[in-house]
Amino acid sequence: MRIWEPIEIKGMRVKNRIGLAPMVNMPGGEGGYISDLTIRWFEERARGGAGLIMTGAVVVTPPTDEMLQQRAAAGMTKWVGVTDDKYIPGWTRLADVIHSYGASLGVQTVALGPQSGQAASPPPYPDETHPKVSAQSLRGAEVPVHVVTKEGIEKHINDTVAVARRMKAAGVDCFELHLAHGGANLYASWVSPMYNRREDEHGGSWENRLRFPIETIRRIREVVGPDYPILVRVDADELLGEWGITLDDTVSIIIPALEEAGVDCFDVSQGSIMHSPQGITIPLYYPRGCFIHHAEAVKRVTKRPVIGVGNIFDLDMAEKFLQEEKADMIFMARQLTCDPETPMKYFEGRTEDIRKCIGCIGGCGRPCTINYDIQDEPIPLTPAKEIKRVLVLGGGVAGMEAARVAALRGHTVTLMEKDGQLGGMVATLALNPLLSEFGNLVTYLTHQMRRLGVDVRVCKESTSTDVAELAPDVIIAATGSTATLPEITRGKPGVMTYRDACREPKAVGQKVVVWGFFGAELAISLAEQGKDVVLTGKSGEGSLGSDVSGPRRFWLLRKLTDMSFAREGPETMRVTNPRVLSNCDVVDIATDGVKVCDRNGAEKLLPYDTLIVAQRFGERQKNDSFFGELQGKAAEIHTIGDCAQVRGIREAIWTANEVARTI
Ligand SMILES: Cc1cc2nc3c(=O)[nH]c(=O)nc-3n(C[C@H](O)[C@H](O)[C@H](O)COP(=O)(O)O)c2cc1C
């Protein structure tokens, strides 16, 4: 198989073709020193089989006293430092650990860009797609931006070169210059026509805009010598149309120029953090491997090795891309975060044991939504001191995770689920094509039930007789939550809960009103299936995108509205199906339609065949009515997941572990 073949990058022999992609949210140490946590983070991924471990972006500019004070005030005393020789021993220690697994270590460096207050030219940056975020940081705050002077350019080059020298001296195997992702990055935004509108020799033509990074690469080469690998992460396409770098620009101008400057390998990414983050933190709505054509296009114009990345969660796909010569190596970020052992398990033929990422971007390691162990101080998973009979009630992801952990610890576990299938609410959500990646978690946990010999009984609502017969020592209630329909929908035709709409798609009519922004993704899917959809919801808590992570929210707002990331309204909508009515609540359901009222009191009548009530977490009720009956039936009774408190997937997994690791 190609993934296991070693690859040579300018004398660096990488043992296989899978690498950890840079992720900035790696754990740091006090004052910038590599800490035990930093070592553990990268070591786990090297032990798990990745051939190349790339760090997340580390900043090349030494922090000023003012920055250090600001960081300290914000409680950010830990980071990964590279700006002083005092950090070298820590990096050597890290490199030695990575090498002990036969893997190679690279460091990615970044010079902070417009989003952090320094730029080639001042804002506002034009943005045809979304004017309101153009001169702002992602969180909507105005950032005072200063334009980098010629002395500033020289200083950045010197800082970057100094880091390269230090990393080589420390025993790090390669150096990656971050030249992607626009607004977060000075070098990337410098090259981009979107952000650089200087009129001196650093602006205007491609040659001018590339002068700064190319000079940096030349000077790095002088210092690290001819045999040290220099990688560059490029922005194959800034995903900004003609405003930004296009794939054409990349293959015809940027790659040849960088190759000529001495770059040894291209790591091909896309997007700009301020304006097109969907290329970087890719929402789960995008298909697997959606950006590999960028690497493929770059590979056609260079003889240097090319790395492909983006929504590649399984190694079959990685292997296919390598065989098709779309890339020479594959980077994975989120998959190696949520299961560091992915390569090893694949190699050993244990693919069903791989915990596949669900693409939610709910923290990505700090913490990970679906893997409790990916955090600084998890409760250790140790063999149980006393083997107990454990009864888990409910086969959603909380129940299955608790059963998995309890069984791993040696307990004898029975799981009862009243439904015919496992997975609960998460399995239901996964029926929506936009959220199908959620199914990865259900598949993984279901397999673990079989593998660990959990006695799973589906279509089985437990009775007190069952409980008495099993005589459990521990009962873990994971019976989830239910959506109860609001009073005004009682007895009205065509009303469905979100769950039923997912489970019985054939029952959903042509004209659909989705009530509640929790249903935004469902509304989009239904519209894509050809239904006529209106999505209506209130402002404030529960507003559009408020219950999903930042990158997903950004995508939803971009897809549906002209609302900025940070603000709400006015209700200018980008699409007509689904039509979005912000600040509008349902006030009545009449025979001829759903009556909604906006915040000014104006009413609208929306004809409908189906009204889908999409309630947020807080509006769902926990299924805990039978708990009274359980009292006295076991020495220990615990509740986890939604039936403890209605929340999201992470809390379901977390509460399951907190209980199952301590019984
Ligand atoms: C939380 C997070 C942090 C990231 N940090 C960086 C970074 O420091 N430098 C960088 O070039 N890309 C960064 N990326 C992008 C990843 O390297 C990668 O290109 C992207 O996640 C797509 O790969 P994946 O689908 O395998 O996760 C980050 C992505 C995520 C989700």
Side-chain angles (χ1 to χ4, degrees), residues 202-221:
H202 290 284
S205 67
W206 282 104
E207 191 189 357
N208 282 357
R209 277 184 280 117
L210 281 162
R211 197 179 300 282
F212 173 34
I214 283 182
E215 181 58 17
T216 307
I217 291 159
R218 290 220 168 95
R219 301 259 292 272
I220 293 172
R221 176 63 72 210

Side-chain angles (χ1 to χ4, degrees), residues 21-25 57 108 178 181 233 280-281 309-311 333-334:
M23 287 185 97
V24 72
N25 50 351
Q108 185 195 58
H178 195 353
H181 307 163
R233 174 160 263 205
I280 308 162
T281 45
V309 67
N311 264 11
R334 289 167 295 166

Side-chain angles (χ1 to χ4, degrees), residues 517-638:
F517 286 132
F518 184 72
E521 290 145 330
L522 180 61
I524 295 169
S525 288
L526 292 171
E528 281 172 0
Q529 288 156 30
K531 315 262 184 207
D532 306 311
V533 186
V534 178
L535 172 64
T536 180
K538 286 187 285 191
S539 59
E541 205 197 332
S543 59
L544 183 55
S546 62
D547 28 31
V548 295
S549 62
R552 282 168 70 188
R553 188 178 322 142
F554 195 98
W555 185 86
L556 284 175
L557 292 177
R558 275 288 177 92
K559 174 97 181 163
L560 295 174
T561 80
D562 271 346
M563 290 186 231
S564 85
F565 193 71
R567 296 179 336 127
E568 268 197 59
E571 300 94 44
T572 338
M573 298 306 151
R574 192 176 294 289
V575 294
T576 49
N577 189 23
R579 201 170 123 215
V580 184
L581 301 179
S582 179
N583 304 315
C584 257
D585 206 11
V586 173
V587 288
D588 192 18
I589 299 161
T591 43
D592 49 350
V594 176
K595 199 178 281 175
V596 295
C597 181
D598 71 17
R599 61 181 156 191
N600 300 320
E603 291 192 348
K604 277 192 193 86
L605 190 68
L606 309 170
Y608 80 104
D609 301 317
T610 305
L611 169 65
I612 299 171
V613 182
Q615 291 155 314
R616 292 173 306 120
F617 301 131
E619 291 160 354
R620 301 169 57 83
Q621 266 78 49
K622 344 184 214 177
N623 293 331
D624 60 359
S625 56
F626 61 97
F627 288 178
E629 290 171 31
L630 292 178
Q631 295 314 313
K633 300 271 165 43
E636 283 180 57
I637 301 179
H638 303 274

Side-chain angles (χ1 to χ4, degrees), residues 179-201:
L179 193 55
H181 307 163
N185 181 333
L186 185 63
Y187 280 101
S189 54
W190 204 277
V191 177
S192 164
M194 170 96 162
Y195 300 91
N196 181 345
R197 276 160 292 111
R198 288 172 84 102
E199 288 173 357
D200 61 2
E201 72 271 27

Side-chain angles (χ1 to χ4, degrees), residues 478-544:
T479 42
S481 59
T482 315
T484 43
L485 291 170
E487 197 54 41
I488 57 166
T489 65
R490 289 271 154 82
K492 303 292 158 90
V495 181
M496 298 178 93
T497 61
Y498 181 100
R499 178 179 183 274
D500 290 343
C502 291
R503 288 189 159 201
E504 298 159 36
K506 289 206 176 99
V508 178
Q510 179 59 28
K511 285 197 206 87
V512 186
V513 175
V514 177
W515 177 16
F517 286 132
F518 184 72
E521 290 145 330
L522 180 61
I524 295 169
S525 288
L526 292 171
E528 281 172 0
Q529 288 156 30
K531 315 262 184 207
D532 306 311
V533 186
V534 178
L535 172 64
T536 180
K538 286 187 285 191
S539 59
E541 205 197 332
S543 59
L544 183 55

